Amino acid sequence: MRKGVMRPGHIQLRVLDMKEALGHYRDLLGLIEVETDAEGRVYLKGWTEVDKFSVVLREADEPGMDFVGYKVLNNDVLDQLQKDLVEFGCNVEEIPAGELTGCGRRVRFDSPTGHMFEIYAEKEQTGKWGVSNVNPDAWPRGLTGMKATRFDHCLLYGDDIDGTLKLFCDVLGFDLAEQVLDENGDRVAQFLTASMKAHDVAFIKHPEKGKFHHASFFLDTWEDVLRAADLISMEDVSLDIGPTRHGLTHGKTIYFFDPSGNRTEVFCGGDYHYPDHEPVTWTTDQLGKAIFYHDRVLNERFLTALT
Amino acid sequence: MRKGVMRPGHIQLRVLDMKEALGHYRDLLGLIEVETDAEGRVYLKGWTEVDKFSVVLREADEPGMDFVGYKVLNNDVLDQLQKDLVEFGCNVEEIPAGELTGCGRRVRFDSPTGHMFEIYAEKEQTGKWGVSNVNPDAWPRGLTGMKATRFDHCLLYGDDIDGTLKLFCDVLGFDLAEQVLDENGDRVAQFLTASMKAHDVAFIKHPEKGKFHHASFFLDTWEDVLRAADLISMEDVSLDIGPTRHGLTHGKTIYFFDPSGNRTEVFCGGDYHYPDHEPVTWTTDQLGKAIFYHDRVLNERFLTALT
Amino acid sequence: MRKGVMRPGHIQLRVLDMKEALGHYRDLLGLIEVETDAEGRVYLKGWTEVDKFSVVLREADEPGMDFVGYKVLNNDVLDQLQKDLVEFGCNVEEIPAGELTGCGRRVRFDSPTGHMFEIYAEKEQTGKWGVSNVNPDAWPRGLTGMKATRFDHCLLYGDDIDGTLKLFCDVLGFDLAEQVLDENGDRVAQFLTASMKAHDVAFIKHPEKGKFHHASFFLDTWEDVLRAADLISMEDVSLDIGPTRHGLTHGKTIYFFDPSGNRTEVFCGGDYHYPDHEPVTWTTDQLGKAIFYHDRVLNERFLTALT
Amino acid sequence: MRKGVMRPGHIQLRVLDMKEALGHYRDLLGLIEVETDAEGRVYLKGWTEVDKFSVVLREADEPGMDFVGYKVLNNDVLDQLQKDLVEFGCNVEEIPAGELTGCGRRVRFDSPTGHMFEIYAEKEQTGKWGVSNVNPDAWPRGLTGMKATRFDHCLLYGDDIDGTLKLFCDVLGFDLAEQVLDENGDRVAQFLTASMKAHDVAFIKHPEKGKFHHASFFLDTWEDVLRAADLISMEDVSLDIGPTRHGLTHGKTIYFFDPSGNRTEVFCGGDYHYPDHEPVTWTTDQLGKAIFYHDRVLNERFLTALT
């Protein structure tokens, strides 16, 4: 949080069919459905999230990610970062408060990898779902499916990941927590954090700009990852890989697809990071193990199925 | 235990190199090395096992299983079953006490699937390893690797599994706990138990006689399965598949290979069985899910890599 | 199962208020409510149990246990054991089929500790709740509360535990799996099993006859024990002790009370037993650790709150 | 990290006998022994900690805490905070680099609750213990005991907790994550964080100044908490309470004592916090549940055994 960016606050995903998408994000993942806005977008959140929403689903002809937004400490930070983004050379657009219901003014910008990001300082705080802020129980009754606790991060594919690293670290105050270097010492993957988490966003080098690999949601335990795997099978959902562990971040994880073809991850555990930590490095000769710690082999689908 | 057969008591495996094999069974699996006999065979056991040994490694030119032995209640049972085996038509051989150090008289017999089995009534009881039988602690200090608790069962491939079912159920008093039936209602896999366990031995139909698929060892928890997976990667051991769950028995599991090519499983959990339970049935159109509950697809290696 | 007794099959408990009792056994424990009989008794079961029911609640003026029943292999076993019980000197009564809906003829007998037991060979088999016997999923959707999987055992207090040991071991074929011996070598607690479980029934020496300490239900994991503990707190249920581990059996456990004052346990894990195993012995100088492995001190309530 | 304070970096504890203390902190907790300095102080760390040490043991006549230190982003932050501390009215002392081997210049200050704190910007970084920073395995071989991963926080008792709150929040940039308010709305406990953790330090109101309640170390899982509980029993260590969960922070926890009477906690899980989150509040009428979520009753020892 060196420059006042706190956390991933929301992600807007394109889905082909809203009803099917709700079967995935609400019933299977267990996100809480919050509301539907005038444009028909549906808002959801994980039960531990204090802000009103963190996932926005928009019905569209193609799957993928519209944008991901980060919440900053306050409006002073927002103003300063807006200037810095312009100075860095981003195309910066201001989205008025209320365009997403309950969300304040957003500053939208593009990245050298061709993705759309946002920062904002204000969002209605409705509190954790199902537990009070006074004498709160350990967890709420009535959760469904995988009981995902929060939107955690996303992984994006694009070409100029060096440029995007500069943008996120120099302008937005993220740190490089983990990386993959090829035999020439060039970075082909970067995991960036604005907090103690091993990643608040990650990028993998890819010839095409602006691709979306997955949105990730946090679970509490390895037992919960098993339960997610069981549900994926019981609901006949398309599995990508897992349960397994990553080498990078050491998170315990499973990947699967929403009905539109967008990839979803649920995971638990993993490394923590502080700003004075040297980045953890994986080398491409160990790329299989870096990605899938147990199999030590990449599946082609994981590299190429993008939206 | 309808006819007095209690449990799988030992398995003798052929390994190409004893030193490497001990790296696998002792250091990685965490079995306790008990002794080496005059023939150079090495005896091991899981720490919860009360009898002196349960795994015997024999150096040989080819990997595979020599035999698996079941302990029966007492010598009366042994005498009766010996007669019954002869009457059933098995080739029955008597192995004198002491041929395996610490083990009493064994009755060895072949099965219609071409495997060698044994029953015996007596084996030296040295107690659980590292914990007393008086005021015993929850677990012993000094375990290594995966901390496998016991030899649990084996899975064997062969042709006449109907004949072997008769042998195990009618003569030895096992029950059919779980099975796979093909579209004609023919049994292609059978999981047999003499106890509450979902399987004390299992068979899969296969054109060739006498093949060995894997020996399986019990772990306490799904966390232990993860730990096993991590160790497999850290030690660069050949992984077959996992961590995952089976549809059959619902055990949580991981498969990997010893340096000789014999497959090893460690697993936890799973269904229980009583003699009055109808067998659980899987149908071949769901075979992928029956074997690998999460992937729902068989890997070719799992079906064909046999020793 | 040396004499054909398979398992604890049902327990009939007295409760002061049926509606409150259902809040405990159905909503909190997560047992499945099966039916109400003509006498107003309510039948329940754990979801993994194949037989129609395992818990019967009867509204009465005093809490406690009416009887616990064990299922035997078949009617031949039932006939033989009936004779043996008479010969042993029990007061034996025959309860006609149908007195418990769906249950066959029961042979009821008293024990030297003053408890009422039953054996029976037949009960309607309705299958596991919520999962098919063909291609069964790993667990059913729609479970509530602690998701107790089965009625596992009960612990009873009484005076002549030596007499009851004879009855259970010599007549019914149970084994002594674990015991507590006092400084004179007298047995003050005995854990008996007819299976691989560390106890299918247990007795503690106590001056008064016929007292009930707790009914116990099986959970899958230590995470489930935590979840049970959380629910006990969230529902403001009276806790006895836990989460903790026992020294005896090494099960991981938590104890709490139903609204009538009957004690309930949910637990997971623990030792296994085979008939050739020497009993595990705890000595009374380590009684605290034997009962509560972590605290190593008994709470007075655990010893004296009986129904 | 609003003002550049990153994390708890070290704690110096007084122990009566160094050899016994090492039995506790190194062998039981599983901290890594790093070195002994010229004064005989012994340095240790959790294996995930990148800096050289986090725990310093000093042999003394009385148990307790000498000081706890926080690492800040850089020397500019250190200089600024030093000025701010003086301005706030703390007694500020500068400790030269090297007084703790491998640690840079420290700024020591007292708090209104009578405790000694430090901030520093530099400490030798020796990396995680037993795993490389390049292609790192998931965990190192050779860990012992409870395998504590890091020094996490401490809980301190003192009188003027309002003054200390001002110091930590206004001067050092901590946030109030959780609190206990009495019936008059006065704060009697405060959990403060400089990160996403629910607490980097905590204070409970107490008539006496400068008391130490416990130092806390992080474990990965609830299974690890059980393992810690088992070890406490196996090593006959004095247990305070647990395994259990806290209401405050919802961490899963166990407390026990070192041979000098200092309390140690190991825990896992629990809530996360961001600077825009309202503090979570517990009220004193629910204090039992706030502290011990399952028992819902305080034990006297937890409140009064201080060093």
Side-chain angles (χ1 to χ4, degrees):
Chain A
M1 213 186 62
R2 286 188 289 112
K3 304 240 175 154
V5 176
M6 290 192 295
R7 66 171 173 274
H10 56 237
I11 187 167
Q12 183 166 307
L13 295 171
R14 293 187 299 274
V15 298
L16 304 183
D17 178 289
M18 186 59 75
K19 198 179 154 202
E20 286 186 358
L22 287 172
H24 183 86
Y25 291 95
R26 181 190 58 200
D27 303 336
L28 179 64
L29 259 181
L31 298 178
I32 311 302
E33 185 178 348
V34 175
E35 78 167 54
T36 304
D37 71 13
E39 296 177 44
R41 292 180 298 189
V42 179
Y43 297 42
L44 307 101
K45 67 185 279 184
W47 75 266
T48 69
E49 294 178 298
V50 164
D51 287 346
K52 180 175 181 170
F53 65 87
S54 62
V55 172
V56 179
L57 302 179
R58 179 171 75 84
E59 210 170 69
D61 291 338
E62 291 204 346
M65 180 189 87
D66 283 336
F67 55 81
V68 58
Y70 299 88
K71 193 174 191 186
V72 303
L73 258 182
N74 53 44
N75 278 308
D76 291 346
V77 168
L78 187 61
D79 292 341
Q80 180 62 51
L81 291 177
Q82 181 166 5
K83 280 178 212 152
D84 297 344
L85 287 164
V86 169
E87 190 173 332
F88 182 80
C90 294
N91 295 297
V92 174
E93 181 191 5
E94 201 162 317
I95 318 284
E99 196 276 336
L100 283 169
T101 312
C103 187
R105 175 171 65 98
R106 291 135 63 204
V107 173
R108 187 177 291 174
F109 56 99
D110 61 350
S111 74
T113 41
H115 300 94
M116 299 307 296
F117 297 97
E118 301 180 349
I119 50 174
Y120 63 94
E122 290 174 353
K123 191 182 282 179
E124 190 185 338
Q125 294 205 320
T126 50
K128 292 182 190 173
W129 182 84
V131 294
S132 169
N133 208 31
V134 178
N135 303 331
D137 270 319
W139 38 270
R141 312 299 290 265
L143 293 171
T144 58
M146 297 177 184
K147 308 181 184 187
T149 66
R150 67 169 183 244
F151 167 55
D152 189 87
H153 67 270
C154 61
L155 171 59
L156 306 172
Y157 275 45
D159 52 354
D160 183 8
I161 68 169
D162 290 335
T164 294
L165 182 72
K166 264 204 191 82
L167 168 62
F168 271 79
C169 294
D170 297 352
V171 181
L172 299 171
F174 283 63
D175 292 301
L176 177 62
E178 311 218 353
Q179 62 182 344
V180 180
L181 298 183
D182 70 13
E183 59 274 17
N184 305 315
D186 291 331
R187 196 179 306 98
V188 296
Q190 56 202 20
F191 290 62
L192 310 179
T193 182
S195 66
M196 281 184 71
K197 289 159 53 187
H199 41 11
D200 281 319
V201 66
F203 298 90
I204 287 185
K205 198 177 177 68
H206 179 77
E208 207 178 347
K209 269 189 194 302
K211 302 308 287 181
F212 172 70
H213 188 270
H214 72 262
S216 183
F217 299 85
F218 198 71
L219 302 183
D220 279 333
T221 67
W222 177 233
E223 294 282 343
D224 289 335
V225 175
L226 173 65
R227 218 176 149 277
D230 289 343
L231 283 165
I232 287 166
S233 188
M234 287 156 65
E235 299 296 319
D236 210 20
V237 168
S238 174
L239 175 71
D240 190 5
I241 191 162
T244 189
R245 188 199 279 278
H246 288 302
L248 282 152
T249 79
H250 296 120
K252 297 160 257 181
T253 181
I254 187 164
Y255 287 90
F256 50 108
F257 293 97
D258 81 5
S260 306
N262 295 303
R263 191 186 277 94
T264 304
E265 179 190 31
V266 290
F267 81 108
C268 74
D271 301 333
Y272 61 91
H273 181 87
Y274 282 105
D276 62 330
H277 287 190
E278 285 298 304
V280 169
T281 299
W282 285 80
T283 54
T284 46
D285 61 310
Q286 296 281 311
L287 189 60
K289 193 175 177 184
I291 306 290
F292 302 128
Y293 188 66
H294 299 142
D295 283 355
R296 288 160 281 159
V297 194
L298 283 170
N299 72 43
E300 186 61 19
R301 187 176 51 221
F302 194 82
L303 292 179
T304 57
L306 305 172
T307 56
Chain B
M1 215 187 60
R2 287 186 289 110
K3 304 239 176 155
V5 176
M6 289 192 294
R7 67 171 171 274
H10 56 237
I11 187 166
Q12 184 167 307
L13 295 171
R14 294 187 298 274
V15 297
L16 304 184
D17 179 288
M18 186 59 75
K19 200 179 152 201
E20 286 187 357
L22 286 172
H24 182 85
Y25 292 96
R26 181 191 57 199
D27 303 337
L28 179 63
L29 259 182
L31 298 178
I32 311 302
E33 184 178 348
V34 175
E35 79 167 53
T36 305
D37 72 12
E39 296 178 44
R41 293 180 297 187
V42 179
Y43 298 43
L44 307 101
K45 67 185 280 186
W47 74 266
T48 69
E49 294 178 297
V50 165
D51 287 346
K52 181 176 181 169
F53 64 87
S54 62
V55 172
V56 179
L57 302 178
R58 180 171 74 84
E59 211 171 68
D61 291 339
E62 291 204 347
M65 180 190 87
D66 283 336
F67 53 81
V68 58
Y70 299 88
K71 194 175 191 187
V72 303
L73 259 182
N74 53 44
N75 279 308
D76 291 346
V77 167
L78 187 60
D79 292 341
Q80 180 61 51
L81 291 177
Q82 183 166 3
K83 282 178 211 150
D84 297 345
L85 288 164
V86 170
E87 192 173 332
F88 183 80
C90 293
N91 295 299
V92 174
E93 180 191 6
E94 201 161 320
I95 316 285
E99 196 277 337
L100 282 168
T101 312
C103 188
R105 175 172 66 99
R106 291 135 65 204
V107 173
R108 186 177 291 174
F109 56 99
D110 61 351
S111 74
T113 41
H115 299 95
M116 298 308 297
F117 297 97
E118 302 180 347
I119 50 176
Y120 63 95
E122 289 175 353
K123 192 182 282 178
E124 190 186 338
Q125 295 205 320
T126 49
K128 292 181 189 173
W129 182 85
V131 294
S132 169
N133 206 32
V134 178
N135 303 332
D137 269 320
W139 37 271
R141 312 298 290 265
L143 293 172
T144 58
M146 298 177 184
K147 307 183 184 186
T149 65
R150 67 169 183 244
F151 166 55
D152 189 86
H153 67 270
C154 61
L155 171 59
L156 306 173
Y157 276 46
D159 51 355
D160 183 8
I161 67 168
D162 289 335
T164 294
L165 181 71
K166 264 204 191 82
L167 168 63
F168 271 80
C169 294
D170 297 352
V171 180
L172 299 171
F174 283 62
D175 293 302
L176 176 63
E178 310 219 353
Q179 61 182 345
V180 179
L181 299 182
D182 70 14
E183 57 275 17
N184 305 315
D186 291 330
R187 197 178 307 99
V188 297
Q190 56 202 21
F191 289 62
L192 310 179
T193 182
S195 67
M196 280 184 72
K197 289 159 55 187
H199 42 11
D200 282 318
V201 65
F203 297 90
I204 286 184
K205 198 177 178 67
H206 179 77
E208 207 177 347
K209 269 190 194 304
K211 302 308 287 180
F212 172 70
H213 188 271
H214 72 263
S216 183
F217 299 85
F218 198 72
L219 302 183
D220 279 334
T221 68
W222 176 234
E223 294 283 342
D224 289 335
V225 174
L226 173 66
R227 220 177 148 277
D230 289 343
L231 283 165
I232 287 166
S233 187
M234 287 156 65
E235 298 297 319
D236 210 19
V237 168
S238 175
L239 175 71
D240 189 6
I241 191 163
T244 189
R245 186 198 280 279
H246 289 301
L248 283 153
T249 79
H250 295 119
K252 296 159 255 180
T253 181
I254 188 164
Y255 287 89
F256 50 109
F257 293 97
D258 81 6
S260 307
N262 296 303
R263 193 186 276 93
T264 304
E265 179 189 31
V266 289
F267 81 108
C268 75
D271 302 332
Y272 61 91
H273 181 87
Y274 282 105
D276 62 329
H277 288 188
E278 285 297 304
V280 170
T281 299
W282 286 80
T283 54
T284 46
D285 60 311
Q286 296 282 310
L287 188 61
K289 193 175 177 183
I291 305 292
F292 301 129
Y293 187 66
H294 299 142
D295 283 355
R296 288 160 282 160
V297 193
L298 284 170
N299 73 41
E300 186 61 18
R301 187 177 51 222
F302 194 80
L303 292 178
T304 56
L306 305 171
T307 55
Chain C
M1 212 186 61
R2 287 187 288 109
K3 303 241 175 153
V5 176
M6 290 191 295
R7 65 171 173 274
H10 56 236
I11 187 166
Q12 183 166 307
L13 295 172
R14 293 186 299 274
V15 297
L16 304 184
D17 179 288
M18 185 59 75
K19 199 179 154 202
E20 286 186 358
L22 287 172
H24 183 86
Y25 291 96
R26 181 191 57 200
D27 302 338
L28 179 64
L29 259 181
L31 297 178
I32 311 302
E33 184 178 348
V34 174
E35 79 167 52
T36 304
D37 72 12
E39 296 177 45
R41 294 181 296 189
V42 179
Y43 297 43
L44 306 101
K45 67 184 279 184
W47 75 266
T48 69
E49 294 178 297
V50 165
D51 287 346
K52 181 176 180 170
F53 65 87
S54 62
V55 172
V56 179
L57 302 178
R58 180 171 73 84
E59 211 171 69
D61 291 338
E62 291 204 345
M65 181 190 85
D66 284 334
F67 54 82
V68 59
Y70 299 89
K71 194 175 190 186
V72 303
L73 259 181
N74 53 43
N75 279 307
D76 291 346
V77 167
L78 187 60
D79 292 340
Q80 180 62 50
L81 290 178
Q82 182 167 2
K83 281 178 211 151
D84 298 344
L85 287 164
V86 170
E87 191 173 333
F88 183 80
C90 294
N91 294 299
V92 174
E93 179 191 7
E94 201 162 320
I95 318 286
E99 196 277 336
L100 283 168
T101 312
C103 187
R105 175 171 64 99
R106 291 136 64 205
V107 173
R108 187 177 290 174
F109 56 98
D110 61 350
S111 74
T113 41
H115 299 94
M116 298 307 297
F117 296 98
E118 301 180 346
I119 50 175
Y120 63 95
E122 290 174 353
K123 192 182 281 179
E124 190 184 339
Q125 294 204 320
T126 50
K128 292 181 189 172
W129 182 85
V131 294
S132 169
N133 207 32
V134 178
N135 303 331
D137 270 320
W139 37 269
R141 312 299 292 265
L143 292 172
T144 58
M146 297 177 184
K147 307 182 185 187
T149 66
R150 67 170 183 243
F151 166 55
D152 189 86
H153 68 270
C154 60
L155 171 59
L156 306 173
Y157 275 45
D159 52 354
D160 183 7
I161 68 168
D162 289 337
T164 294
L165 182 71
K166 264 204 191 83
L167 169 63
F168 271 80
C169 293
D170 297 354
V171 181
L172 299 171
F174 282 63
D175 293 302
L176 176 62
E178 310 218 353
Q179 62 182 345
V180 180
L181 298 182
D182 70 13
E183 58 274 18
N184 304 316
D186 290 330
R187 197 180 305 101
V188 296
Q190 57 202 21
F191 290 62
L192 310 180
T193 181
S195 66
M196 282 184 70
K197 290 159 53 187
H199 40 13
D200 281 319
V201 66
F203 298 90
I204 287 184
K205 198 176 176 68
H206 179 75
E208 206 177 349
K209 269 189 193 301
K211 302 307 287 181
F212 172 71
H213 188 271
H214 72 263
S216 183
F217 299 86
F218 198 72
L219 302 182
D220 279 333
T221 68
W222 176 233
E223 294 283 343
D224 289 335
V225 175
L226 173 65
R227 220 178 148 275
D230 289 343
L231 282 166
I232 287 166
S233 188
M234 286 156 65
E235 299 295 320
D236 210 19
V237 168
S238 174
L239 176 70
D240 190 6
I241 191 161
T244 189
R245 187 198 280 278
H246 288 302
L248 281 153
T249 79
H250 295 119
K252 296 159 255 181
T253 181
I254 188 164
Y255 287 89
F256 50 108
F257 292 97
D258 81 7
S260 307
N262 296 303
R263 193 186 277 95
T264 304
E265 179 190 31
V266 290
F267 81 108
C268 75
D271 301 332
Y272 61 92
H273 181 87
Y274 282 105
D276 62 329
H277 287 189
E278 284 298 305
V280 170
T281 298
W282 285 79
T283 55
T284 45
D285 61 310
Q286 296 282 311
L287 189 61
K289 193 174 176 185
I291 305 291
F292 301 129
Y293 187 66
H294 299 142
D295 284 353
R296 289 160 280 160
V297 193
L298 282 170
N299 73 43
E300 186 62 18
R301 187 176 52 221
F302 193 80
L303 292 179
T304 56
L306 305 172
T307 54
Chain D
M1 213 187 61
R2 286 186 290 111
K3 303 239 177 155
V5 176
M6 289 192 294
R7 65 171 172 274
H10 56 237
I11 187 165
Q12 183 167 308
L13 295 171
R14 295 187 297 273
V15 297
L16 304 184
D17 178 288
M18 186 59 75
K19 201 181 152 201
E20 286 187 357
L22 286 173
H24 182 87
Y25 291 96
R26 181 190 57 200
D27 303 337
L28 179 63
L29 259 182
L31 297 178
I32 310 302
E33 185 178 348
V34 175
E35 79 167 54
T36 304
D37 73 11
E39 297 177 44
R41 293 181 296 188
V42 179
Y43 299 43
L44 307 100
K45 67 184 279 185
W47 75 266
T48 69
E49 293 179 297
V50 165
D51 287 346
K52 181 176 181 171
F53 64 87
S54 62
V55 172
V56 180
L57 302 178
R58 180 171 73 86
E59 211 170 68
D61 292 338
E62 291 204 346
M65 181 189 86
D66 283 336
F67 54 81
V68 59
Y70 299 89
K71 194 174 191 187
V72 304
L73 258 182
N74 53 44
N75 279 308
D76 291 346
V77 168
L78 187 61
D79 292 341
Q80 181 62 51
L81 290 177
Q82 181 166 3
K83 284 178 210 151
D84 297 344
L85 287 164
V86 170
E87 191 173 332
F88 182 81
C90 294
N91 295 299
V92 174
E93 179 191 7
E94 201 160 321
I95 317 287
E99 195 278 336
L100 283 168
T101 313
C103 187
R105 174 172 65 97
R106 290 135 65 204
V107 173
R108 186 177 292 175
F109 55 99
D110 61 351
S111 74
T113 41
H115 299 94
M116 299 308 296
F117 297 98
E118 302 181 346
I119 50 175
Y120 63 95
E122 289 175 352
K123 191 182 283 179
E124 190 186 338
Q125 295 205 319
T126 50
K128 292 181 190 172
W129 182 85
V131 294
S132 169
N133 207 31
V134 178
N135 303 332
D137 270 319
W139 38 270
R141 311 300 289 267
L143 293 172
T144 58
M146 297 177 184
K147 307 182 184 186
T149 66
R150 66 169 184 245
F151 166 55
D152 189 86
H153 67 270
C154 61
L155 170 59
L156 304 173
Y157 276 46
D159 52 354
D160 183 8
I161 67 168
D162 289 336
T164 294
L165 182 71
K166 263 203 193 84
L167 168 63
F168 271 79
C169 293
D170 297 352
V171 180
L172 299 172
F174 283 62
D175 293 302
L176 176 62
E178 311 218 353
Q179 61 183 344
V180 180
L181 298 183
D182 69 14
E183 59 274 18
N184 306 315
D186 290 330
R187 196 179 307 98
V188 297
Q190 57 202 22
F191 289 63
L192 311 179
T193 181
S195 66
M196 280 184 72
K197 289 160 52 187
H199 42 11
D200 281 320
V201 67
F203 297 90
I204 286 183
K205 197 176 177 70
H206 179 76
E208 207 177 347
K209 270 190 195 303
K211 302 307 287 181
F212 172 70
H213 188 271
H214 72 263
S216 182
F217 299 85
F218 198 72
L219 302 183
D220 279 333
T221 67
W222 175 235
E223 294 283 342
D224 289 336
V225 174
L226 173 66
R227 220 177 147 276
D230 289 343
L231 282 165
I232 287 166
S233 187
M234 287 157 65
E235 297 296 320
D236 210 20
V237 168
S238 174
L239 175 70
D240 189 6
I241 191 162
T244 188
R245 186 198 280 279
H246 288 301
L248 282 153
T249 78
H250 295 120
K252 295 159 257 181
T253 182
I254 187 164
Y255 287 89
F256 50 108
F257 293 97
D258 81 5
S260 306
N262 296 304
R263 193 185 278 93
T264 304
E265 179 189 30
V266 290
F267 81 109
C268 75
D271 302 332
Y272 61 91
H273 181 87
Y274 281 105
D276 62 329
H277 288 189
E278 285 298 305
V280 170
T281 299
W282 285 80
T283 54
T284 45
D285 60 310
Q286 296 282 311
L287 189 60
K289 192 174 176 183
I291 305 292
F292 301 127
Y293 187 66
H294 300 142
D295 283 354
R296 289 160 279 160
V297 193
L298 283 170
N299 73 42
E300 186 60 20
R301 187 177 51 222
F302 194 80
L303 292 179
T304 56
L306 305 171
T307 54

